[in-house]
Amino acid sequence: VVLAPVTRCRAINNIPQNSHVKFYSQRTTRGGLLISEANAVSPQAFGFPHSPGIFSEEQVKAWKKVVDAVHDKGGIIFCQLWHVGRASHTVYQPNGEAPISSTANPISEEWSIMMPDGSKAIYPSPRALETSEIPAIVEQFRAAARNAMAAGFDGVEIHAAHGYLIDQFLKDGVNEAGWTATAGPSRRDAVSRRRCLQAVVDEIGAERTAIRLSPIIDHMGAADSDPLSLTSHLIRLLNSFPCLAYLHMTEPRFTKEGLTEDIASQGDCTAAKMWNIVKNEYRGSLMRSGGYTRQTAMEAVSSCSADMISFGRLFISNPDLPLRFAIEANLNKYDRSTFYTHDQVVGYTDYPFYIDSTETNSK
């Protein structure tokens, strides 16, 4: 039972707060794994208001307080690293510049971005990166991994999913220039997961490096015409890196049609084929996430379809989720309206523990 990376918009001015220490400490179980919310690898990498980074000394010092609190309770915590690419807005970019991407095409108006005041806006047109700019992006991931180690994190997870920058280069629905994963040994090797992954592995070691993928998800328009070939390609790539900490893959819940609440209701043939590829071909530890319940998670692990399951919404509203699962206790309901506010308490650290709620009910 793993805490999934969940963006919460509580890092005022992109710096983790004391409330972050409490939030992560509350969700720590001895021996349990937590994955931090996504951390920007550079000032260009932001796409949400008050989301944290891991590129400055102040951010590293703030995250160290969080990590120390988790370690004090016997927990393990990985830092998720991201660059949102075109999933940003000029308001989040240095000097109001255009976001960067593999393409000059914006995200469709089917999707919207949250602005600093909480309103929604359409995504602006990004600027397509030049080949010569790619090494600097790769170096940002390397430096972020180094900073995560300085903050005391046990490892890092590279966010290469959900339509963010790395995913934009790998999906042919975004990357019309042809720098895609299945396009052969072309320029895509300069921008693909191989370069970022290799840089991070070289910096901190494979055993401390994980990666998140979503090859069949079309979140924010990041679709691929042949997601099964893409899956096979990526698995072969990952198998060339022995002893990665884990591969984190997302169920196809986030689509342009909306958010599917229950994975059991999907019945998606393509998804089933993708999971067969992963199960049969991937040689490392596999984490799955997206809409799992206690029962479906247990079934996935007992059938050897996953080694770990990460939970987002359920862990947000149940800080003691592993205990509740163990004793089959009722779960607190989450309040979606508080997911992305900046309140340091409400909807963040005020969800009751099982023991607290039973004592209240007994009174």
Side-chain angles (χ1 to χ4, degrees):
V1 179
V2 178
L3 172 65
V6 285
T7 295
R8 303 304 310 279
C9 300
R10 263 71 175 190
I12 306 303
N13 298 321
N14 311 122
I15 306 294
Q17 305 294 300
N18 290 333
S19 60
H20 284 73
V21 177
K22 186 173 183 179
F23 176 84
Y24 287 98
S25 177
Q26 285 178 331
R27 285 152 185 80
T28 301
T29 301
R30 182 167 297 279
L33 173 60
L34 313 179
I35 309 171
S36 80
E37 60 209 270
N39 278 266
V41 298
S42 74
Q44 266 187 321
F46 290 108
F48 279 84
H50 298 300
S51 57
I54 191 72
F55 55 84
S56 75
E57 183 177 353
E58 187 177 5
Q59 290 163 344
V60 171
K61 288 180 178 179
W63 273 118
K64 189 176 189 307
K65 295 177 182 178
V66 175
V67 172
D68 287 348
V70 170
H71 287 165
D72 286 346
K73 295 181 69 173
I76 301 163
I77 183 166
F78 272 45
C79 179
Q80 191 185 66
L81 310 179
W82 76 344
H83 193 308
V84 303
R86 70 172 184 167
S88 185
H89 193 279
T90 55
V91 72
Y92 295 120
Q93 294 299 304
N95 303 315
E97 298 171 353
I100 59 171
S101 181
S102 62
T103 178
N105 293 327
I107 295 174
S108 166
E109 292 185 16
E110 294 174 284
W111 306 91
S112 61
I113 184 169
M114 179 186 293
M115 300 296 280
D117 64 0
S119 64
K120 297 296 181 70
I122 62 172
Y123 287 95
S125 295
R127 178 180 67 83
L129 282 165
E130 299 290 339
T131 307
S132 60
E133 296 178 277
I134 303 303
I137 302 295
V138 173
E139 185 58 32
Q140 290 171 7
F141 278 88
R142 182 199 299 271
R146 185 187 312 128
N147 286 342
M149 294 299 99
F153 282 99
D154 298 290
V156 304
E157 178 182 290
I158 300 171
H159 196 347
H162 302 173
Y164 297 115
L165 182 62
I166 299 177
D167 209 26
Q168 290 160 27
F169 276 107
L170 279 248
K171 299 283 185 64
D172 61 16
V174 179
N175 195 355
E176 76 286 348
W179 303 6
T180 55
T182 54
S186 64
R187 290 183 293 176
R188 58 93 178 163
D189 278 331
V191 296
S192 72
R193 292 167 175 84
R194 180 182 295 277
R195 280 288 295 274
C196 282
L197 186 56
Q198 186 68 64
V200 172
V201 167
D202 289 347
E203 183 67 35
I204 67 173
E207 72 283 356
R208 294 184 181 273
T209 304
I211 191 166
R212 191 173 199 182
L213 305 177
S214 58
I216 69 172
I217 289 177
D218 64 359
H219 187 51
M220 293 190 295
D224 195 84
S225 62
D226 191 353
L228 298 181
S229 294
L230 175 60
T231 300
S232 292
H233 171 85
L234 294 174
I235 294 303
R236 289 194 299 272
L237 186 154
L238 295 182
N239 283 338
S240 69
F241 289 87
C243 303
L244 289 176
Y246 59 83
L247 164 61
H248 190 180
M249 293 193 68
T250 311
E251 301 287 345
R253 298 176 57 248
F254 298 96
T255 70
K256 61 180 178 293
E257 281 77 29
L259 185 67
T260 303
E261 291 293 325
D262 187 353
I263 59 170
S265 68
Q266 291 172 19
D268 190 308
C269 182
T270 303
K273 291 178 180 178
M274 180 197 71
W275 289 120
N276 281 335
I277 292 171
V278 176
K279 182 177 179 180
N280 294 330
E281 298 182 13
Y282 184 57
R283 297 197 292 265
S285 296
L286 176 64
M287 182 188 303
R288 293 172 64 164
S289 65
Y292 279 91
T293 64
R294 177 184 183 275
Q295 184 61 37
T296 57
M298 289 171 58
E299 291 170 356
V301 173
S302 63
S303 66
C304 298
S305 297
D307 299 292
M308 298 170 279
I309 304 294
S310 70
F311 297 85
R313 296 165 298 153
L314 296 186
F315 230 140
I316 285 173
S317 57
N318 296 274
D320 52 355
L321 187 63
L323 171 64
R324 289 178 186 257
F325 278 172
I327 64 176
E328 300 186 57
N330 291 331
L331 302 181
N332 299 322
K333 294 182 179 180
Y334 53 83
D335 181 357
R336 191 182 296 278
S337 70
T338 65
F339 280 2
Y340 305 112
T341 72
H342 313 316
D343 194 298
Q344 300 295 298
V345 176
V346 177
Y348 193 51
T349 60
D350 62 343
Y351 282 106
F353 287 78
Y354 175 72
I355 294 176
D356 295 338
S357 60
T358 54
E359 288 178 350
T360 299
N361 290 336
S362 66
K363 293 177 182 178

